[in-house]
Amino acid sequence: MSLPSMLPALVAPSTHRGAARPVSNRGDQGLKQRVVTRRWLTAACLAAAILAVQPASVHAEQRSAPTPGPAERPAQAPSESGDHGGVTPAQRARMASEEPLVQAALRIRRAAQATKASGFAGVALREGTVIVYWKGPVPPASRKTIDQEAAKVPVAIRPAAHSAQELSRAADEIGRKLRAAGDRSVVSIGYPVTGAGITATVAGTKTPAVLANAPVPVTLARTATKIVKPASESTVPRSQAGSLAVPDTARTTGSGDPMGTLALGNWPNPSRQDDAVPAWGGAHVINSDATGGNHGWKTRAAGTDEVIDVDNRYHCTSSFPVLFGTQELMVGALSCGGPHRTFVDPSGDVVNTPTTGIGVDASSGVSLTIPKGGAEPYLYTDDPWGQTGWQIGGWEAPVAGQTVCISGAERGVFCDAEIDDEVGTETAYIPTSQGDSNETHNMTNISTHYHGGPVWDGRRPFKLADGSECNAYEYLKEVDELGCSPVPLGPGDMGAAVFTLTAGTTTGVTIKGILVHQHDGDGQNPYGYHMVGSDRIAAVYDVTPLTSRNDRP
């Protein structure tokens, strides 16, 4: 009997308050030893963990009113201006126009992979056309599929220097040799859907011999050597260190300088910053077991324009809910903390049920966690303080060239993003909340863009933790001097869901994957990110998305 069929008989629906939360690793190494098959959940351990949970503390707002349920916080309809949740009409129209192309590309790719077509390199969207990259003659079976799709949407075939199989073998061989030599100077390696060759980011000025002698062309990018501190050392400067922020309290920096009174705790309930039962994706979660902070939540020092960390915690975003059998779980970024970690929201309430009954594949970049009180098929939209959301309609694999949105707790929704050519092929070292790093495989590159105009009229600046504004959408000198990040997504957005809007509906979204890493090394593109596609999540964990169709009453 499979675990999904066993689990419903072992656990009952939870009734405790909770939000979603992401995940980590260094301390998760013990979990790796329990991974033996693709069915990661140990049903008996999971049932025991859930049944042992005691009711969590309740916010003051919730004591004076019933716990908000799904009927009391529905997804908000679009505004009269035509945009909603940070998506402009033009962005919505582009995603709608791309949808038939994406479906055609997915069918072509699935057919090529199912038949193990040796010449297939990949597919991408290019200016309203599905481009199929192929090495050599296209076999009849694949040609038939391509012709069928070409009858529906524009499709073109382009020659590829190498097939995906060739590049995959070459990348695997390079990785094996680097690991055998103990060489971690190659911080990322992958290959594009065009079949052009290997792409690698190397720390330092030397080129490892394995790259110089590779059987396929290798394109190099340089980055400065990044030293990952041991877990015993703080990753936050002393002047920025502090305990978890408490609403309406005056605080000082490590050197005794005043930071002023933080206007925290005044956000709506429920909202991204104070999620409620059942949990939504896109909420703010904090790993309280982390060994150092990730600069994921900011405020201003009193009397100055300096932007500093609120605390030295590890801030992330809850991703999206899934089902294992009938059990509601959350997918999260593994760098944020594993399922045995304790996560809290900004007010300090525990939002998950820590458990050792969920195994972790440390190379997958993602993990599963148990939200207290269960989950709902909703994803927060709007700004970092928003309390509106979209229903989740399902998930599908990413496609190169596709326009996507990202729903992060630190910066809100950002839709000027695009899937890059490295789709499901990237391997990179990702820092974790325990001061180590994991070698993560099968990631997809995603790029964001300079933002030349407002996301919402009059609301372009996003708000810091103390309520002050910081413009994240234009790279201006004065913004730099204020200490505000010029990139559209921050460390606290790791774990955010990557999604597209479903054509023909105002509320449905399709999950494409989750954000797991920001390109943060010197010389790396600050507007570039790594995501793990939904197809990769499904290949590692036996879960299905929790949607409006399979959600329980």
Side-chain angles (χ1 to χ4, degrees):
M1 181 183 294
S2 68
L3 287 183
S5 62
M6 293 171 60
L7 193 58
L10 294 174
V11 298
S14 173
T15 58
H16 306 313
R17 180 192 186 280
R21 59 106 15 189
V23 273
S24 160
N25 339 127
R26 171 74 171 235
D28 305 336
Q29 298 305 310
L31 292 182
K32 291 169 58 181
Q33 305 305 316
R34 290 189 288 276
V35 175
V36 291
T37 70
R38 285 183 57 225
R39 302 195 181 278
W40 302 101
L41 296 186
T42 303
C45 293
L46 178 57
I50 294 174
L51 295 176
V53 174
Q54 298 300 313
S57 60
V58 179
H59 280 281
E61 298 99 324
Q62 292 176 309
R63 293 195 188 101
S64 61
T67 300
E72 296 167 281
R73 58 170 193 181
Q76 181 173 301
S79 65
E80 294 181 1
S81 63
D83 64 9
H84 169 50
V87 186
T88 66
Q91 291 164 340
R92 181 186 290 274
R94 180 176 175 182
M95 282 184 276
S97 69
E98 289 176 352
E99 189 166 326
L101 302 175
V102 168
Q103 298 309 314
L106 289 172
R107 286 189 288 267
I108 291 171
R109 186 166 69 193
R110 283 195 295 264
Q113 292 172 341
T115 60
K116 299 182 179 179
S118 60
F120 177 72
V123 292
L125 308 189
R126 307 280 196 236
E127 298 180 350
T129 301
V130 177
I131 304 297
V132 183
Y133 296 94
W134 209 285
K135 179 184 179 180
V138 180
S142 296
R143 171 64 75 172
K144 180 179 179 181
T145 301
I146 293 172
D147 289 344
Q148 288 173 340
E149 298 305 323
K152 308 169 191 174
V153 298
V155 179
I157 300 174
R158 297 287 183 268
H162 301 277
S163 69
Q165 290 181 9
E166 289 176 329
L167 296 178
S168 176
R169 286 194 297 267
D172 288 346
E173 181 62 21
I174 290 171
R176 283 193 296 270
K177 290 181 178 179
L178 289 170
R179 285 189 293 272
D183 187 347
R184 298 188 69 169
S185 66
V186 180
V187 296
S188 71
I189 185 171
Y191 53 92
V193 296
T194 61
I198 298 291
T199 59
T201 300
V202 181
T205 59
K206 295 182 179 179
T207 301
V210 64
L211 296 181
N213 301 322
V216 298
V218 176
T219 300
L220 295 179
R222 299 287 180 181
T223 183
T225 301
K226 185 174 182 180
I227 300 175
V228 178
K229 296 182 179 180
S232 60
E233 295 184 34
S234 172
T235 59
V236 180
R238 183 173 181 271
S239 63
Q240 298 179 359
S243 59
L244 187 66
V246 178
D248 303 319
T249 58
R251 299 173 61 242
T252 61
T253 66
S255 59
D257 298 324
M259 288 174 62
T261 299
L262 300 181
L264 305 177
N266 298 321
W267 41 72
N269 172 268
S271 71
R272 285 187 188 273
Q273 310 303 328
D274 194 1
D275 198 14
V277 173
W280 286 11
H284 187 162
V285 292
I286 306 167
N287 181 346
S288 62
D289 298 330
T291 59
N294 66 340
H295 313 287
W297 210 27
K298 305 291 187 182
T299 189
R300 291 189 188 276
T304 74
D305 283 328
E306 182 185 6
V307 176
I308 60 177
D309 290 350
V310 168
D311 54 36
N312 64 341
R313 300 301 183 95
Y314 213 90
H315 297 255
C316 293
T317 299
S318 66
S319 190
F320 59 90
V322 295
L323 288 176
F324 181 84
T326 60
Q327 178 59 39
E328 295 171 346
L329 303 172
M330 279 286 180
V331 176
L334 186 56
S335 61
C336 297
H340 63 300
R341 301 291 178 189
T342 299
F343 287 81
V344 299
D345 65 17
S347 297
D349 291 328
V350 176
V351 298
N352 72 296
T353 303
T355 179
T356 58
I358 298 178
V360 174
D361 179 351
S363 69
S364 70
V366 299
S367 182
L368 303 173
T369 60
I370 306 172
K372 284 188 176 180
E376 273 246 277
Y378 279 83
L379 181 67
Y380 278 111
T381 65
D382 214 62
D383 62 28
W385 314 97
Q387 57 183 150
T388 61
W390 282 302
Q391 291 184 10
I392 296 173
W395 65 14
E396 68 183 14
V399 174
Q402 183 177 12
T403 302
V404 292
C405 296
I406 302 167
S407 180
E410 183 177 354
R411 306 288 175 84
V413 168
F414 186 81
C415 288
D416 275 356
E418 184 177 295
I419 305 297
D420 283 345
D421 282 355
E422 289 80 16
V423 176
T425 69
E426 187 98 2
T427 293
Y429 288 106
I430 298 181
T432 76
S433 66
Q434 301 303 305
D436 196 3
S437 62
N438 275 351
E439 187 179 42
T440 305
H441 300 279
N442 301 320
M443 292 183 297
T444 294
N445 271 333
I446 184 171
S447 61
T448 58
H449 309 290
Y450 294 97
H451 204 282
V455 177
W456 304 280
D457 290 340
R459 284 198 291 161
R460 179 169 58 193
F462 77 92
K463 292 182 179 178
L464 298 170
D466 63 353
S468 63
E469 294 180 345
C470 185
N471 192 332
Y473 300 116
E474 292 183 16
Y475 197 103
L476 303 175
K477 183 178 180 181
E478 54 267 31
V479 171
D480 236 6
E481 291 173 347
L482 290 177
C484 297
S485 172
V487 297
L489 299 163
D493 295 319
M494 297 308 106
V498 179
F499 65 96
T500 59
L501 291 171
T502 303
T505 177
T506 59
T507 59
V509 302
T510 300
I511 304 294
K512 306 295 290 188
I514 69 172
L515 208 64
V516 295
H517 182 230
Q518 181 176 350
H519 297 178
D520 54 358
D522 292 337
Q524 290 185 282
N525 177 13
Y527 290 82
Y529 302 82
H530 286 125
M531 64 172 280
V532 175
S534 296
D535 54 332
R536 296 299 180 178
I537 297 171
V540 175
Y541 299 101
D542 284 340
V543 294
T544 57
L546 177 62
T547 71
S548 53
R549 292 185 296 274
N550 61 16
D551 187 31
R552 294 173 296 174

